Amino acid sequence: MCTIREKISLAVPLTLGILIFYFGTLHSSFFNATPIPDTVIDRAIPFIPVFVVPYFSYYLLLLTPLFVIHESQELRNTAFGYALIVFTSCVAFFFWPTAISTSYTDPLIRGLLSIDRPRNACPSLHASLSLFCALCTQRNLKSSITRYGLWIWMLLVIAATLFTKRHAVVDVAAGVVFGGIVYRLIFDPIHQDAGGPKISVEDPQRRDRPFVDSSQNIESLRQCDSRKCLLEFAIFVTLAATGASINIWAIAHSSFMALAIGVLTTTGSLYSLLHLLHEGLQRQLVPNCLWNRISMVLSGFIFLISFSAFRVQHLRRLRSSGGHRDNFVRRIWELLLIPILIPVSALRFGSATQRKIVCSEYALLFLVCSVLLRTFSMQALVVVWILPVVFAGSFWILIRTTQ
């Protein structure tokens, strides 16, 4: 049972965080906003100022879970969904800003226009949070009349964004899709395989290590060889710095030979890091648990994956194969589909806690990629980062397949 004090402790910091993130990005001007194009549907929708009433009722709608959800874990999951939607959307608002291209004025919406700028358009937070809120709330409503009333309210809020011309159909659709996806990621039932060795990702004693024979000493997998890890990390840093320097010089001087040497050097550095990442699936690499976690997550980001998602997918593959090595063709397909296979597998088969961790890591990865894309040119990122990642991953799979 969730107490009033617990509800307040969740609602107050979450509300403050939403306000800071939203209005902070709304009034930022680091990057020029891209206008959202008007579609035929947008031009056919009339401007109706009176819809400002359901538009503002959105803020009341967001509070309804506090009054109908009484289980602590469910309320925390709902708060996490709110935070995930707002954080991811605000990253998009800041680094990839969009704005509505139409402007209407009326005395009824004068107050709205004074606080709501035309930026922060796509994805629509009104649409994503309203849908997510309605889905979370209706789980706890027993009366069909109340459910119908909730959905009518939600539809009026979303429609109000179009009738007051504060959003376009494109960003409303994006918001609806995003809100629905987040709800499914958090509240969908966990899928479990029927066959294979019984290794459950729910088991806290076994989910952090691969399938091994019971006669092996489990503790040996968790021994920390700090010197070896430090040496491998030093090799990664040295080769990465050298490769990046050569690539930058090669791009500046248009030298193909130097560029090839730089890409190969960076590939070697990433191969050594990939070896560390794979070892991190089986044991703790550094004595401090927090630093071990941070290092593994950041290493996963370099390969555009979530380490937690990689671990869940790794355990599931071992469980389904019974510890046997996959054939060459399957590994090649895994390489080609790895950006999709890893998150989909983790979000489908992971526990509720793992799902939230995976979602958090991918939200942070979106932030990291946005910073890099806004800081460096695409050409530099492809040469210094993307190509070496592809080459290192391909080489890794070829080596492990032929062993």
Side-chain angles (χ1 to χ4, degrees):
M1 190 70 179
C2 189
T3 63
I4 295 178
R5 183 174 182 178
E6 186 176 357
K7 291 183 177 182
I8 294 175
S9 66
L10 282 173
V12 173
L14 182 62
T15 302
L16 291 176
I18 291 175
L19 292 175
I20 291 172
F21 271 88
Y22 179 77
F23 285 103
T25 54
L26 182 67
H27 293 279
S28 66
S29 55
F30 288 94
F31 307 105
N32 294 327
T34 302
I36 296 292
D38 274 346
T39 64
V40 176
I41 301 176
D42 290 309
R43 290 190 290 271
I45 296 175
F47 172 61
I48 307 178
V50 73
F51 267 87
V52 71
V53 176
Y55 186 93
F56 276 118
S57 72
Y58 155 80
Y59 299 101
L60 296 177
L61 177 63
L62 298 186
L63 298 177
T64 53
L66 287 174
F67 300 99
V68 299
I69 297 178
H70 303 296
E71 293 295 328
S72 298
Q73 186 58 53
E74 185 176 357
L75 189 62
R76 285 194 292 268
N77 289 340
T78 302
F80 174 80
Y82 274 44
L84 181 64
I85 290 173
V86 172
F87 176 81
T88 308
S89 299
C90 286
V91 170
F93 295 157
F94 184 83
F95 290 99
W96 316 102
T98 52
I100 55 174
S101 55
T102 57
S103 179
Y104 289 81
T105 58
D106 188 273
L108 288 176
I109 65 169
R110 190 173 299 161
L112 172 61
L113 295 176
S114 64
I115 60 173
D116 192 16
R117 299 179 64 188
R119 293 170 69 97
N120 288 12
C122 187
S124 167
L125 275 181
H126 266 71
S128 58
L129 287 179
S130 293
L131 178 62
F132 181 79
C133 171
L135 289 170
C136 293
T137 302
Q138 63 92 27
R139 292 160 52 93
N140 297 271
L141 297 179
K142 298 180 179 180
S143 170
S144 58
I145 296 178
T146 310
R147 287 196 188 122
Y148 286 135
L150 173 68
W151 285 107
I152 291 172
W153 187 7
M154 184 271 294
L155 291 174
L156 283 173
V157 169
I158 295 178
T161 65
L162 298 173
F163 285 120
T164 57
K165 298 300 180 180
R166 304 311 300 162
H167 282 287
V169 170
V170 172
D171 42 88
V172 168
V176 168
V177 171
F178 185 37
I181 289 175
V182 171
Y183 175 80
R184 294 201 61 179
L185 292 179
I186 297 175
F187 290 103
D188 259 15
I190 298 169
H191 183 280
Q192 293 291 349
D193 289 334
K198 301 302 181 181
I199 301 176
S200 173
V201 292
E202 298 283 357
D203 188 348
Q205 297 298 324
R206 306 180 73 182
R207 69 187 180 195
D208 294 334
R209 63 177 177 86
F211 176 74
V212 294
D213 190 87
S214 58
S215 63
Q216 290 179 308
N217 185 358
I218 297 175
E219 292 301 322
S220 64
L221 293 175
R222 300 195 178 275
Q223 291 177 352
C224 298
D225 189 353
S226 300
R227 291 184 179 178
K228 180 182 176 182
C229 295
L230 184 61
L231 177 61
E232 291 183 359
F233 184 73
I235 293 174
F236 159 69
V237 172
T238 302
L239 291 177
T242 304
S245 301
I246 295 174
N247 285 329
I248 293 172
W249 184 91
I251 293 174
H253 294 82
S254 302
S255 173
F256 178 79
M257 183 61 68
L259 191 64
I261 294 174
V263 170
L264 290 176
T265 304
T266 309
T267 300
S269 73
L270 293 178
Y271 182 82
S272 65
L273 182 64
L274 194 55
H275 180 70
L276 275 175
L277 188 65
H278 189 265
E279 284 193 13
L281 295 172
Q282 308 174 51
R283 63 187 179 90
Q284 187 171 311
L285 299 182
V286 295
N288 187 281
C289 294
L290 177 60
W291 282 109
N292 183 79
R293 178 72 185 173
I294 293 174
S295 62
M296 289 296 97
V297 170
L298 294 179
S299 298
F301 284 178
I302 293 176
F303 295 96
L304 294 175
I305 60 174
S306 156
F307 174 74
S308 298
F310 187 30
R311 181 169 56 185
V312 174
Q313 191 270 343
H314 176 74
L315 288 173
R316 176 180 174 264
R317 182 174 60 82
L318 290 171
R319 178 176 60 184
S320 61
S321 64
H324 299 294
R325 194 175 301 279
D326 296 330
N327 58 40
F328 178 78
V329 175
R330 179 169 179 173
R331 285 186 175 274
I332 292 300
W333 275 109
E334 284 187 355
L335 170 64
L336 297 175
L337 299 176
I338 215 167
I340 301 174
L341 180 63
I342 287 180
V344 169
S345 178
L347 294 171
R348 188 180 181 191
F349 297 97
S351 66
T353 301
Q354 287 171 330
R355 285 181 177 183
K356 289 191 287 186
I357 294 174
V358 169
C359 289
S360 301
E361 289 181 12
Y362 274 108
L364 290 174
L365 179 58
F366 177 46
L367 172 61
V368 171
C369 290
S370 297
V371 172
L372 292 175
L373 288 170
R374 281 299 192 179
T375 305
F376 304 101
S377 67
M378 180 60 72
Q379 179 189 11
L381 289 175
V382 169
V383 172
V384 176
W385 181 24
I386 304 300
L387 280 180
V389 164
V390 173
F391 292 155
S394 304
F395 187 61
W396 172 265
I397 286 181
L398 287 173
I399 292 296
R400 291 184 60 81
T401 302
T402 56
Q403 285 179 346

